[in-house]
Amino acid sequence: MEWEKLCTLPVSKGNINFEKFFSFIRKIKYNGTFTVEATAFDSQGKIDTDMLDRCFMCIKDYLNNPG
């Protein structure tokens, strides 16, 4: 794998309007599960647990803080 060429972004770093998405989730009172798929490898191919933690905290903030 050419890890340095992997061009994925963590939650809140791309063009998806997560604030709007999670606002809708709260509006419809969704109470199910979520599946999070994240490519969390650094340029050396090691798992970037700090980035994953930031993603999950970001999602938690979106879910807990009405926009």
Side-chain angles (χ1 to χ4, degrees):
M1 296 290 297
E2 295 180 80
W3 300 107
E4 68 278 359
K5 293 183 180 179
L6 192 61
C7 297
T8 58
L9 298 173
V11 174
S12 82
K13 299 297 181 189
N15 294 320
I16 296 173
N17 187 337
F18 282 103
E19 188 171 315
K20 185 175 182 177
F21 171 77
F22 284 107
S23 176
F24 177 75
I25 293 300
R26 284 190 303 278
K27 180 180 176 181
I28 65 169
K29 300 183 190 304
Y30 179 76
N31 196 26
T33 59
F34 289 93
T35 299
V36 176
E37 184 175 327
T39 304
F41 295 104
D42 64 16
S43 62
Q44 304 301 310
K46 295 182 182 178
I47 295 173
D48 186 347
T49 56
D50 290 334
M51 187 274 286
L52 283 174
D53 287 342
R54 286 190 302 274
C55 286
F56 288 121
M57 290 305 295
C58 184
I59 292 168
K60 184 178 174 182
D61 288 344
Y62 279 126
L63 289 171
N64 291 327
N65 298 315

